[in-house]
Amino acid sequence: MSQRTMRGRAVRWGVPVAAMAVVAAAVGAGPVIAAVQGDPTLPERTANQLLADAVQAAKSGPKPMSGTLVQTASFGLPGLPDMAGLGGTSPAALLTGSHELKVWYGGADRMRFALPGRMSETDLIVNGGQVWLWESDAEKATRITGDTEAAARPETAAPTAVTPQQLADELLSKPGTAVGVTNTERVADRAAYQLTFAPKDASSLVREVRLALDGETLIPLRVQVYAKSAAEPAFEVGFTSVAFTPPAPGNFTFTPPPGAKVEEKRIDDLTAVAGKRAERAEGIKEEAKIVGEGWTAVAVLPFSEQDLKRQLPPADQELPGGRAPRQDGGQGVGAVVDAVLKSAQPVSGPWGSGRVVRTKLVSALLTDDGRLLVGAVTPEKLTEVAGQK
């Protein structure tokens, strides 16, 4: 399986779309010289040098390693329902709190991911031609069979932002950012360079994004997104521990425990589901119009509250791991959407009327004439765009 499949298909530890919209900003990489202060102190490098070397290091592919990643989100979403019953693998659960992912990578055909939950753990183990998915809460082991190499080809892979490397790639995509760099950070007990990217436009809700690069390998160790309204990161994903040495072979072996339910699924079935999701996402993308660029870009697409509700899962849909629906009928994303819509504030102007929601990093405006405007900008910026023809 390829690196892209490892990131995109094998692990469903998706970062919320809102966070992706925030960190998809760019680097105007000028000759910013690293300050020499404190401990540790790495050799001085400009931002240009660091970014070029980091891209070159990424081209050589991932190194054998093991470590623990932690994602922490504090978007300030209003009125969120209780997520306790959803487990750590639910996309809705990832909107708040901290979530841990353990990674072992021994090569393209030897990898393991463990997603601990509350009194449970979900593991994906790849060992040569054997691929297993273990869900401890359901006591279920699924063996994935078929042509996994074909599913790993780039044209069939569905990328999902997961790791600091993926978020770092987004930071390299567009211009228009003030850049700074220091060489005195320590992340996961390793000396690291830290690049900072800050928007110049006052209408952006982002204060800065910080990217920590390992001082030896230049592999991204951590990405932090800071909102203007908070001292702590609104979103963070990074290693808390990491070792760039080959993991022990025992990490890639798996035998279903006695009494476990054992199933078999073909990779073709799994890729078909992912393909349909990608088609829906592409359809939405084609309908969207982007106004502006960089940090203050606003997506405008035809959308109504009725369209939104039609895309939500039914209240009796089975939860991850085969668990029964929650007794209150809340269904993760659906419950979140309902809570957010109830907290929306009415707004109006020459452009019309609608309801707006602002979080620490993202604002969304749902107009009464059937438009959805979303961006990492202030509500005032959204209403300004809403008035443009």
Side-chain angles (χ1 to χ4, degrees), residues 78-84 86 92 96 326 328 330-332 334-340:
L80 280 182
D82 179 20
M83 299 291 177
L86 293 173
T96 184
R326 291 170 53 176
D328 61 3
Q331 275 296 301
V336 170
V337 169
D338 285 342
V340 171

Side-chain angles (χ1 to χ4, degrees), residues 109 126-131 143-146 148:
D109 61 347
V126 178
N127 191 3
Q130 290 194 341
V131 181
R143 183 175 180 180
I144 302 172
T145 62
T148 56

Side-chain angles (χ1 to χ4, degrees), residues 77-87 89-96 311-320 323-340:
L77 285 166
L80 280 182
D82 179 20
M83 299 291 177
L86 293 173
T89 58
S90 165
L94 297 173
L95 292 172
T96 184
Q311 297 191 26
L312 299 178
D316 58 352
Q317 180 172 305
E318 187 179 80
L319 291 174
R323 299 188 300 276
R326 291 170 53 176
Q327 295 300 313
D328 61 3
Q331 275 296 301
V333 175
V336 170
V337 169
D338 285 342
V340 171

